[in-house]
Amino acid sequence: MNYKIELTSDDVPKKWYNINADLPVQLPEPKNSEGKDQLSTLPDIFVGECLKQEVTTERYVTIPNEVRELYQRLGRPTPLCRAKGLEEKLNTPAKIYYKREDSSPTGSHKLNSAIAQAYYAKKEGVERLTTETGAGQWGTALSLAASLMDLEATVYMVKVSFNQKPFRKTIMQLYDGNVYASPSPNTEVGRKILEETPDHPGSLGIAISEAVEDALQDEKVKYTLGSVLNHVILHQTVIGQEIKTQLEIAEEEPDTMVACVGGGSNFGGSLFPFMKDKIEGNSDVEFLAAEPSACPSLSEGEYRYDFGDEVGFTPLFKMFTLGHDFVAPSVHAGGLRYHGMNSQVSLLKNEGFITPRTVKQTEVFAAGKLFAQCEGVVPAPETCHAVKVAIDEARKCKQTGEEKTIVVNFSGHGLLDFKGYESFLDGSLEDS
């Protein structure tokens, strides 16, 4: 049995896949809010090439050679592994495969887009990049990518995660990233919130507002985003394309595919290359989006236009949202505490192609512990959401006798998330 399916450097995809070309209905465009003209300010905020990729309807976008070479240098392609130990522990007839995005130098899938965004920024003469980060995975990836491109990076990290995961700050600083707890005194947005609520735990919406405000102060500075927007998912589709090749080698067809979902980049990047077949009626794969019960944007949010940030610097996007002023409880899965969802993911959920599943925090860490015991790899709290849903599906197969093939995108490792695991092990962890 082949427990690890590995590809060569030559197998790194040469193009990103763009699902805009294959959506079942037209994607609603961003729009201005009443009395404001946010669309005209987008070129002042974002890197130009990323804006072009945001709206393109070309099915495939060529990956620049320099970006592809960095993908190869920094660990792509990543392995697809069979979770045989977990299967045996669950006594299930299901086959479980997991894509090892944790094998990236920064420990998650985030580097796939960070490299691309930093590359385009450097080509356009940008000198500094700003961004937000929840759990710190994106901030870490962008700090490394900026360092590789000889750019400065400023990271606004949600305060509760800044305090929960201090070593994330250390890694970003090793890569020369400048990291601030958000809300911070660096911006008008942060100062106002701190004046009203000095102990505010922060949110991704607030951190985005701070990073955007910072970027707008200097034409040589641009804002980058680690999820939510279409071009970020576009860059992440190297994951799904690799999985397709690896499953062909394993002579497997997926029945169920699972990924955690916060803003949508990990989910869309790993599953959109398979979604095309389902949209065309050539597949009946079930796509499951695992999200926290504490921040259930796909499960309980409204499908409507909303801002991507707290203050309203961004245009309005059609998405599933809990409201741009929503502040999620301080669960350890900081990367999933976003109020809204990518527009493409939202549309596909609204059209019935995606099924969301909510998971409680204690269930998340229990699943992470079980996975670590069986496979030796410690999942990030975000990744544990997908692991938990995959375990549930495998247990259903035990009851029904179905020999399903379940594929999980293992989006990141939890080796800097031990405070959450420690709380789970000593019994002090609570569900929000």
Side-chain angles (χ1 to χ4, degrees), residues 277-296:
D277 298 328
K278 185 162 185 176
I279 292 170
E280 294 172 346
N282 299 321
S283 167
D284 58 359
V285 178
E286 185 177 26
F287 298 102
L288 303 181
E291 61 180 0
S293 59
C295 191

Side-chain angles (χ1 to χ4, degrees), residues 6 168 226 240:
E6 297 190 275
R168 274 285 163 205

